[in-house]
């Protein structure tokens, strides 16, 4: 492996993690920061946090200086990634974008540019297109330590129920 790195066939990302990109005339392309994070931390219970979560949901124009990831375990030597460790093991049931929603529920007024209504509308559309499972996210949110997350999840549950009832009545 060390010879492959010296010859330029592989890129060393971190200890024990290498990447083979596409060779261009400027050198080999590197992996995306998200690929590095998911490879190092695993894919279960891992997702964006903060403004990175709002970007995942297309709810902000802010560009964070580094990818902010919420995970269940720590990892060393992750360049370009701010890591936040969460202790709720129920997060294992959630997908990447669902973790982003859970993290947005911590403080939507800070992270969502257009406010609460934009978040509810985005969640309703994602649930309707089966992109996320809002029921799973809200069940996990009920077990979060953060009081604001639990409060916002209860409010989101009520508003989604009202929207689904209105959609059923219209259909």
């Amino acid at each position: 492996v060390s010879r492959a790195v010296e010859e330029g066939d592989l890129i060393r990302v971190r200890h024990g993690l290498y990447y083979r990109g596409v060779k261009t005339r400027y050198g080999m392309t590197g992996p995306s920061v998200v690929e590095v994070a998911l490879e190092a931390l695993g894919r279960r219970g891992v997702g964006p946090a903060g403004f990175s979560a709002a970007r995942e949901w297309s709810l902000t124009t802010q560009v964070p200086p580094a990818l902010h990831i919420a995970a269940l375990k720590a990892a060393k030597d992750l360049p370009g990634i701010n890591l936040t460790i969460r202790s709720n093991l129920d997060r294992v049931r959630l997908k990447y974008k669902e973790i982003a929603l859970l993290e947005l529920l911590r403080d939507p007024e800070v992270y969502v540019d257009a406010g609460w209504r934009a978040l509810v509308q985005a969640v309703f559309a994602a649930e309707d297109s089966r992109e996320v499972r809002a029921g799973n996210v809200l069940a996990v949110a009920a077990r979060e330590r953060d009081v604001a997350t639990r409060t916002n999840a209860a409010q989101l549950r009520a508003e989604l129920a009202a929207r689904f009832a209105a959609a059923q009545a219209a259909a």
Side-chain angles (χ1 to χ4, degrees), residues 14-74:
R14 60 178 283 226
H15 180 72
L17 183 60
Y18 298 87
Y19 181 80
R20 180 181 299 195
V22 176
K23 287 190 177 185
T24 68
R25 66 185 199 187
Y26 302 110
M28 189 176 299
T29 61
S32 74
V33 180
V34 174
E35 287 176 315
V36 172
L38 293 177
E39 200 59 42
L41 298 167
R43 299 185 186 281
R44 300 181 59 157
V46 174
F51 284 109
S52 298
R55 298 250 332 148
E56 178 68 26
W57 278 86
S58 300
L59 293 172
T60 188
T61 57
Q62 300 291 321
V63 179
L67 178 66
H68 192 172
I69 291 283
L72 295 171
K73 64 179 182 176

Side-chain angles (χ1 to χ4, degrees), residues 135-151:
N136 285 356
V137 175
L138 297 174
V140 172
R143 294 182 195 92
E144 285 284 309
R145 270 191 161 150
D146 186 47
V147 175
T149 303
R150 293 193 312 260
T151 304

Side-chain angles (χ1 to χ4, degrees), residues 57 101 118-128 132 134 156 160 164:
W57 278 86
L101 174 58
L119 177 62
V120 173
Q121 186 175 1
V123 173
F124 182 76
E127 173 74 20
D128 196 40
V132 297
L156 180 62
L160 286 177
F164 281 117

Side-chain angles (χ1 to χ4, degrees), residues 51-156:
F51 284 109
S52 298
R55 298 250 332 148
E56 178 68 26
W57 278 86
S58 300
L59 293 172
T60 188
T61 57
Q62 300 291 321
V63 179
L67 178 66
H68 192 172
I69 291 283
L72 295 171
K73 64 179 182 176
K76 293 181 183 177
D77 194 25
L78 292 174
I81 297 172
N82 290 335
L83 189 62
T84 300
I85 307 301
R86 303 287 187 217
S87 60
N88 184 355
L89 295 179
D90 290 334
R91 287 171 169 249
V92 171
R93 301 182 347 213
L94 301 179
K95 298 185 282 185
Y96 188 79
K97 191 161 184 165
E98 294 169 346
I99 293 287
L101 174 58
L102 186 60
E103 289 294 322
L104 282 177
L105 289 175
R106 287 182 164 277
D107 201 353
E109 284 76 31
V110 170
Y111 300 119
V112 179
D113 288 348
W116 179 256
R117 287 184 185 265
L119 177 62
V120 173
Q121 186 175 1
V123 173
F124 182 76
E127 173 74 20
D128 196 40
S129 67
R130 298 178 190 258
E131 190 176 353
V132 297
R133 303 162 299 171
N136 285 356
V137 175
L138 297 174
V140 172
R143 294 182 195 92
E144 285 284 309
R145 270 191 161 150
D146 186 47
V147 175
T149 303
R150 293 193 312 260
T151 304
N152 289 330
Q155 183 179 353
L156 180 62

